[in-house]
Amino acid sequence: MSGLRDKLTSLVGDKTAKALASALDIHTVGDLLRHYPRRYAARGELTDIAGLEIGEHATVMARIEHVSKRRMRARPGSILEMTITDGHRRLSCAFFNQAWRERELRPGRTGLFAGKVTAFRNTLQLANPEYELIDDDDMSSVDSFLAEIIPVYPAAQGMPSWSIGRAVQQVLGTFEPEEDPLPDWLRMRYDLDHLHPALRNIHRPENWAALESARTRLKWDEAMAVQLIFAQRRYSAVSRPAPACPPKPGGLADTFDKRLPFELTEGQREVGAKIATDLTGEHPMNRLLQGEVGSGKTIVALRAMLQAVDAGRQAAMLAPTEVLAAQHARSLRELLGDLAMAGELGGADIATRITLLTGSMSAKERKQALLDIAGGAAGIVVGTHALIQETVSFADLGFVVVDEQHRFGVEQRDALRSRGADFTSPHVLVMTATPIPRTVAMTVYGDLEISALRELPAGRSPISTTVVPTAEKPTWLDRAWQRVAEEVRKGHQAYVVCPRIGDEPASDKSEKRPALAVLDIAPELAEGPLKGLRVGVLHGRLPSDEKDAVMRAFAAGEVDVLVATTVIEVGVNVPNATVMVIMDADRFGVSQLHQLRGRVGRGSVPGLCLLVTEALDGTATRERLAAVESTLDGFELSRLDLELRREGDILGAAQSGKRSGLKQLSLLRDEDVIAEARECAQRIVAEDPALGEHLGLAHLVADVVDADRAEYLEKT
C-alpha cells in the first residue's frame, strides 16, 4: 500500500517514474494525485479548439475530418496531413514520413490528440502529435477511458494525458487512506469529503456530483494551505511591536495639508484616516494601497510619511528602479517646497530633509547620504530596494512605503521587519497601480490589509487602444509609423516600447524569435519611417546620469520619439506625449500593458496606444490583447487577466515563481471558500502558532504549496 509521500518508482516502474519527474516535476504519490485533470470530457463530446496558444502543449478531443498524403518538395519523404475539428474550428496536424498512420487515421474517427501547438502558414498546427483513438465500438484498449467522464491532464512532451491517466490508475490501486489533514470540526462544519475519496473521485469520478464534491474538498486544501501561511505571517508581524507615530497638531503634516492647492478626493481622505490610525498604534501596519495610475497614491503616502516624521521617526520610500526613485525624490521636494529644506537657506522652521540613495551615486554622495540616514538628519529617505540591505543603517526607521508591489515580494517584506529601531518592526504601506480583484488580494497578499482608490483622476484625457496584427495585416504597421509622425508634426511626442534592450547575450533555447530590442529598433526607425524626427533611447542599463538626461530632454520636448524598455512603465509624466507604440505587445502581461499606456493621455489631448503583435487571431494571446483594447478600467482588466491566465500562475509569480499549488481553487469564483479558510486559519494559528498540534495541516502546507513556499512558515 502507498501513502502521499512515497516515491513513484516501485508503483509505476522506473521508466514512467523518470518520465513523470523530467517532464512534469512529479516525484511522489502526492505529486501525482495532486496533478489534477485540467478538464473532463463526456463520452462523445469534443473539445473546443479555440483559444489554443502557440508554444503550449495541448490535448484536444476532436474528430478527424480530412486526411491526405503528399511528397515533400525540398527533401525525400512524405507528409501525412490531417485536419481535425471540434465542429466549430479546425486544427491541422502533420506527420512526417509516417504514411502508415493513414490506415488508422480515418475520417470520422474520434480521439485525443496531443502535441505542441505551432504556426504554419498563419494557421495553428500540431506537428507529429501523439494520439489515442477512442471509438465507442472498440474501447478495450483504453482502460483508463472506460468511464463516461474522461479526464484530460496537463501534459508535456513525451508524457501525454492518457499516459498520466494510466499512472494514476496504477497508484490509486495501492493508495490507502491516511489521517485526514483537515480537522474533523472543519470538515463537519463545511460538509467536506475525506481526502481519500476526494482524491479518487477527482481522477475517476463515478458521476458529475461525485466530481463536484471532490473539487470542493480539494479547493479547501489549497485555500487552507495558503491562508495558514499568511495567518502565521500576520501572527508573527503583529507579535513584534511597532514604533507608535501619533499625529502632531501644527506639525509638518498639518502645515502641508493647509497648503494643498487642491481638494483631496473622498477616497484619499478615507484611506488617509485609516493609515493615520494604523500609524498611531503599536502593532505594525501592513497595508496594500491600490489604485489607477494618477489616482493620488503618492499624496496619501507623503501625508503618512510626514506623520511619521512629526513623531520623530524616519520614513523610507522604496521604488523599483533608480529612474523612478530619483523622480520620486524630485516630486516630493517640489510638493513640500520649503518644508523639505531643513538646514538650507529659506527652509521652514519645522522642515525635514529628503535624501536620495541609489547604487549609481558617486562615493562622496553616497557617503554623505548614509551619514544623513544614520544620524537622523534625513527625515524621508528615497531609494531602490537596496535601501533595506544591512549596509544601510537608519537612526529610527518608523515607516516604509513600497512603490509597485509586483516588484517587491514576500521575502523583501520579511527583510523589512528587522529594520526598525529597538527591536521594533516599521509600519509598511505597499502601493500598486495594478488594480487587483479582492479575491486575488486575499490570496496573494493575504498578510496585508487592503485599501483601494477607485476614483479616476479628474481632467485625464481618454486613451484609445488598437491591436496592430502584423502577421495578417502587415500594412497596418506602416500606418502606425505614419500616425507617430503625424502626432509629432502637431507638436506632440511619442513612446515606442520594446521588450528587450538588445545588448543581452543571444539565447537559442526558445523556438520563438528573440523579442524586439530598443538598440535594434531605434536606428531602424531613425533611418526609416521616422527619418528626420529626433529619436532618443532609454533603458535600464544606461548610466544613471544618462537616463536622467534623456528623461529631462524628453520632458522638455527636445526628443520627439523615445524608444524605451519598460523603465517608463511607472512614474514617468510627460503630458505632451500622446501616442505609444508597443512592439511585441504579446510579450507583456495585461496589467503591464495597462500600466504602459497610462503614460499617454496625461494632458489635454486624447492618447493613442498601438499594440503591435504577430500573434494569430483565435489564440489566447490575441484574446488578452483584445481585452486591453476593449476597456480602460484597470479593475475590470485585472479580472479579465485572471480569467485568461491560469490563475495559479498569479500566486506563483507573486510569491516565489515556483509551482503555485492553486489547481482547483478559482480566485474569481471561490471568494466564499477563500474568506472562510482565512477565518479558520486565523483561528487555528491564534491557538497553535507553530501548528505543533496540527501536524496534518503542517503536512498539507508542504504538500499543496510546495517545499519552497513552505519555507515561509519557518521564517515566521
Side-chain angles (χ1 to χ4, degrees):
M1 303 304 285
S2 61
L4 288 172
R5 276 165 286 285
D6 290 349
K7 297 289 183 187
L8 286 171
T9 307
S10 62
L11 301 168
V12 299
D14 191 49
K15 184 180 175 185
T16 302
K18 281 181 178 170
L20 285 165
S22 62
L24 295 164
D25 196 24
I26 288 172
H27 304 274
T28 66
V29 169
D31 290 344
L32 181 59
L33 293 185
R34 291 195 188 276
H35 185 76
Y36 307 129
R38 177 173 286 167
R39 52 187 159 73
Y40 301 83
R43 180 149 316 288
E45 185 184 276
L46 304 178
T47 305
D48 284 347
I49 289 172
L52 290 181
E53 188 65 85
I54 291 172
E56 78 169 309
H57 200 283
T59 302
V60 295
M61 193 170 184
R63 188 177 65 252
I64 301 172
E65 188 175 64
H66 177 75
V67 182
S68 63
K69 185 172 64 179
R70 64 179 174 84
R71 307 296 301 173
M72 284 191 273
R73 291 178 188 166
R75 50 195 173 129
S78 65
I79 301 177
L80 185 67
E81 294 178 316
M82 175 175 73
T83 305
I84 58 177
T85 180
D86 60 4
H88 302 285
R89 294 190 83 123
R90 293 177 175 83
L91 182 63
S92 71
C93 303
F95 297 91
F96 298 91
N97 295 320
Q98 298 174 56
W100 55 271
R101 295 191 185 276
E102 192 176 14
R103 291 194 296 274
E104 60 181 8
L105 294 172
R106 298 191 303 275
R109 295 194 75 177
T110 296
L112 286 159
F113 301 88
K116 191 170 184 179
V117 182
T118 58
F120 179 69
R121 292 178 181 163
N122 285 348
T123 60
L124 297 181
Q125 183 184 74
L126 298 179
N128 291 325
E130 298 172 278
Y131 59 87
E132 187 95 346
L133 297 174
I134 302 171
D135 290 340
D136 288 331
D137 57 346
D138 179 22
M139 290 297 300
S140 56
S141 64
V142 199
D143 61 353
S144 56
F145 297 114
L146 284 173
E148 285 298 310
I149 302 172
I150 300 170
V152 180
Y153 290 91
Q157 189 71 39
M159 186 49 64
S161 173
W162 47 91
S163 296
I164 298 166
R166 288 186 184 122
V168 167
Q169 186 82 344
Q170 286 173 272
V171 167
L172 284 175
T174 67
F175 183 54
E176 65 180 5
E178 300 179 354
E179 185 179 347
D180 200 298
L182 294 188
D184 292 343
W185 63 264
L186 192 153
R187 280 203 325 277
M188 289 170 66
R189 179 194 287 185
Y190 296 105
D191 193 23
L192 301 176
D193 287 354
H194 275 264
L195 181 59
H196 185 258
L199 287 172
R200 183 170 293 282
N201 282 327
I202 202 73
H203 294 284
R204 293 292 176 272
E206 296 168 15
N207 50 52
W208 294 104
L211 173 58
E212 200 49 47
S213 187
R215 274 181 169 153
T216 301
R217 161 59 206 250
L218 297 171
K219 283 176 184 179
W220 265 92
D221 281 10
E222 294 174 7
M224 280 300 293
V226 173
Q227 294 304 333
L228 281 165
I229 286 173
F230 284 131
Q232 289 199 312
R233 290 175 53 75
R234 277 194 299 274
Y235 181 87
S236 174
V238 300
S239 63
R240 187 175 183 137
C245 301
K248 179 182 177 183
L252 274 168
D254 272 1
T255 309
F256 176 71
D257 278 357
K258 284 172 188 162
R259 293 184 182 184
L260 272 178
F262 51 83
E263 279 282 312
L264 293 173
T265 66
E266 189 180 334
Q268 286 174 321
R269 281 196 299 273
E270 191 179 304
V271 173
K274 282 182 184 170
I275 292 171
T277 303
D278 287 349
L279 289 176
T280 304
E282 293 187 0
H283 288 307
M285 173 179 76
N286 283 288
R287 186 173 289 278
L288 173 71
L289 174 60
Q290 54 173 329
E292 293 281 10
V293 171
S295 59
K297 296 185 297 297
T298 305
I299 288 289
V300 172
L302 176 55
R303 292 176 72 229
M305 287 193 281
L306 293 177
Q307 180 174 329
V309 174
D310 278 339
R313 315 288 185 184
Q314 289 171 295
M317 188 173 203
L318 310 189
T321 65
E322 290 197 3
V323 169
L324 191 53
Q327 191 157 319
H328 273 317
R330 273 199 304 273
S331 65
L332 292 180
R333 286 190 189 109
E334 286 166 11
L335 284 165
L336 287 171
D338 63 346
L339 296 177
M341 294 167 61
E344 296 178 46
L345 201 62
D349 292 342
I350 57 171
T352 187
R353 186 184 300 174
I354 294 173
T355 295
L356 175 67
L357 182 67
T358 62
S360 58
M361 293 169 84
S362 70
K364 184 180 177 183
E365 289 172 324
R366 183 174 174 80
K367 185 178 179 183
Q368 185 58 52
L370 288 170
L371 282 171
D372 288 348
I373 296 167
I380 296 175
V381 184
V382 184
T384 60
H385 298 153
L387 269 186
I388 59 170
Q389 291 171 350
E390 292 302 321
T391 51
V392 182
S393 175
F394 287 86
D396 189 354
L397 181 61
F399 179 44
V400 178
V401 179
V402 181
D403 193 20
E404 286 315 307
Q405 158 63 21
H406 64 285
R407 316 271 185 101
F408 188 85
V410 166
E411 292 92 340
Q412 286 143 315
R413 293 213 292 276
D414 279 329
L416 277 176
R417 287 192 186 155
S418 59
R419 299 316 312 272
D422 302 324
F423 304 103
T424 60
S425 182
H427 300 281
V428 177
L429 178 68
V430 172
M431 303 195 300
T432 177
T434 308
I436 308 154
R438 177 171 174 265
T439 42
V440 183
M442 282 165 60
T443 306
V444 177
Y445 310 109
D447 58 332
L448 303 175
E449 296 300 318
I450 298 149
S451 298
L453 293 174
R454 306 247 0 170
E455 299 104 318
L456 282 170
R460 288 291 294 270
S461 300
I463 304 169
S464 61
T465 306
T466 302
V467 175
V468 179
T470 54
E472 297 140 54
K473 298 174 179 173
T475 57
W476 281 30
L477 185 57
D478 299 332
R479 178 65 190 126
W481 301 128
Q482 288 168 14
R483 282 291 287 115
V484 170
E486 287 165 13
E487 286 298 308
V488 172
R489 280 198 295 274
K490 290 178 190 171
H492 301 307
Q493 292 161 278
Y495 297 100
V496 177
V497 181
C498 302
R500 213 162 50 89
I501 296 173
D503 59 358
E504 307 91 340
S507 169
D508 55 3
K509 291 178 184 175
S510 171
E511 292 177 23
K512 292 172 82 172
R513 67 158 173 77
L516 294 173
V518 167
L519 298 179
D520 298 330
I521 294 291
E524 284 178 25
L525 293 176
E527 294 160 19
L530 302 184
K531 194 167 186 177
L533 304 188
R534 297 168 298 175
V535 176
V537 166
L538 181 69
H539 58 76
R541 280 210 277 274
L542 282 174
S544 190
D545 54 345
E546 276 187 50
K547 280 187 277 199
D548 284 345
V550 171
M551 273 315 305
R552 280 198 297 272
F554 188 62
E558 295 160 12
V559 170
D560 299 318
V561 180
L562 186 63
V563 184
T565 57
T566 55
V567 292
I568 59 140
E569 180 184 350
V570 285
V572 175
N573 185 25
V574 181
N576 192 46
T578 55
V579 61
M580 174 178 286
V581 181
I582 303 179
M583 308 301 293
D584 278 346
D586 48 283
R587 311 270 181 137
F588 300 96
V590 166
S591 296
Q592 198 170 28
L593 292 170
H594 179 57
Q595 284 266 55
L596 284 165
R597 71 172 167 192
R599 301 299 111 210
V600 296
R602 300 175 77 84
S604 56
V605 179
L608 172 65
C609 180
L610 302 174
L611 307 177
V612 179
T613 180
E614 292 178 357
L616 299 176
D617 190 26
T619 60
T621 296
R622 277 290 287 278
E623 268 188 74
R624 282 195 301 116
L625 298 180
V628 177
E629 186 180 44
S630 68
T631 180
L632 288 171
D633 184 334
F635 284 88
E636 174 63 21
L637 271 179
S638 70
R639 290 187 71 84
L640 284 167
D641 194 15
L642 200 55
E643 286 166 4
L644 292 168
R645 291 164 65 183
R646 293 192 182 95
E647 294 181 340
D649 293 349
I650 289 184
L651 182 65
Q655 298 307 329
S656 69
K658 304 290 185 183
R659 189 175 60 208
S660 76
L662 286 197
K663 297 165 185 172
Q664 291 296 318
L665 193 70
S666 164
L667 301 184
L668 284 178
R669 293 183 294 278
D670 295 321
E671 182 166 355
D672 289 350
V673 173
I674 292 168
E676 287 162 350
R678 190 179 193 184
E679 182 192 323
C680 291
Q682 285 175 319
R683 172 181 159 183
I684 290 165
V685 168
E687 295 170 0
D688 180 18
L691 297 183
E693 295 170 26
H694 294 82
L695 292 179
L697 288 174
H699 285 311
L700 178 70
V701 171
D703 289 345
V704 172
V705 186
D706 86 24
D708 296 280
R709 199 82 36 73
E711 284 176 16
Y712 299 139
L713 290 173
E714 292 166 26
K715 282 188 184 178
T716 60

